[in-house]
Amino acid sequence: MVVVERKELSFLERIYFPAILKGLKITMSKMFAPRFTRQYPEEPLPTNEVTRGQPRLAVNPDDTIRCVSCGLCEAACPAYAITIDGHETERFIEREPERFDIDMLRCILCGFCEEACPKDAIYMSNELELADFSRAALVYDIEKLKRPVSALQDRIDYVKKINDRWQTSSST
Ligand code: SF4
Ligand code: SF4
């Protein structure tokens, strides 16, 4: 039979004083350490051109949208989030969407729509926040999706830079 010899505890050890001191030391050291907690939403997440937020439709300075209602983004969308109905227009682009909806509850922010678009008409914005009081309100129509080109410019420049890099590397 093995006999375990127990250390005789002092009075202070019996009232957990060393353990309390150790705990207080850790607490005090953490009180003055740098904080990593973000005070969201007062302190929003930082974004830049690489941020893949919610997709938006680019609006030209003359208030027209670039979309020709080709449906490529709708076909590329893995989440079936995009619904487009096109119609003919007198504008030189000949077709434009009559209805262009994105169900933001379905959207997984993958960016496939941006990649599929041949007309530089849809871009991933830096808008990340999504909240409303009903599911229907989170199906965004054309008016909710429109953003001036200037608001998407950083992303547009970034996508162009990436595409140029692919073209350069595929031609060498
Ligand atoms: S980002 Fe992806 S999931 Fe969202 S609408 Fe575009 S293709 Fe669909
Ligand atoms: S791929 Fe571009 S042009 Fe075609 S429907 Fe989508 S947004 Fe419009």
Side-chain angles (χ1 to χ4, degrees), residues 7 11 13 27-30 52 67 69 120 122 162:
K7 183 189 152 199
F11 171 72
E13 283 172 329
T27 304
M28 296 299 280
S29 69
K30 296 296 171 195
R52 220 166 48 204
C67 177
S69 183
D120 298 336
I122 189 164
I162 297 296

Side-chain angles (χ1 to χ4, degrees), residues 22-169:
K22 197 172 165 188
L24 278 175
K25 192 175 149 200
I26 293 172
T27 304
M28 296 299 280
S29 69
K30 296 296 171 195
M31 275 173 76
F32 300 105
R35 283 189 221 163
F36 297 99
T37 311
R38 182 172 291 279
Q39 300 301 316
Y40 185 85
E42 290 78 12
E43 206 184 316
L45 288 170
T47 62
N48 59 27
E49 70 278 13
V50 179
T51 305
R52 220 166 48 204
Q54 296 155 27
R56 295 287 183 259
L57 290 174
V59 179
N60 295 317
D62 64 359
D63 210 30
T64 55
I65 55 172
R66 298 173 168 186
C67 177
V68 294
S69 183
C70 68
L72 282 177
C73 57
E74 187 178 19
C77 179
Y80 304 108
I82 304 178
T83 309
I84 305 168
D85 291 332
H87 69 169
E88 292 188 1
T89 171
E90 294 301 312
R91 291 170 56 213
F92 71 95
I93 61 171
E94 297 182 3
R95 273 178 69 80
E96 64 182 10
E98 190 173 30
R99 171 190 179 195
F100 194 120
D101 294 346
I102 301 184
D103 186 339
M104 288 303 166
L105 291 176
R106 279 183 165 270
C107 178
I108 53 172
L109 311 182
C110 65
F112 284 7
C113 49
E114 180 186 68
E115 286 185 38
C117 182
K119 303 305 281 184
D120 298 336
I122 189 164
Y123 282 97
M124 306 306 284
S125 69
N126 61 359
E127 296 173 41
L128 296 167
E129 283 154 23
L130 191 66
D132 218 308
F133 295 100
S134 72
R135 297 181 72 86
L138 293 168
V139 178
Y140 284 14
D141 62 9
I142 293 183
E143 292 311 316
K144 276 190 173 176
L145 291 170
K146 279 181 178 178
R147 289 294 177 278
V149 166
S150 56
L152 299 167
Q153 198 59 55
D154 287 351
R155 180 69 185 182
I156 292 172
D157 294 344
Y158 172 73
V159 170
K160 183 176 181 318
K161 191 173 79 183
I162 297 296
N163 289 344
D164 288 349
R165 193 175 66 186
W166 281 112
Q167 278 170 11
T168 312
S169 59

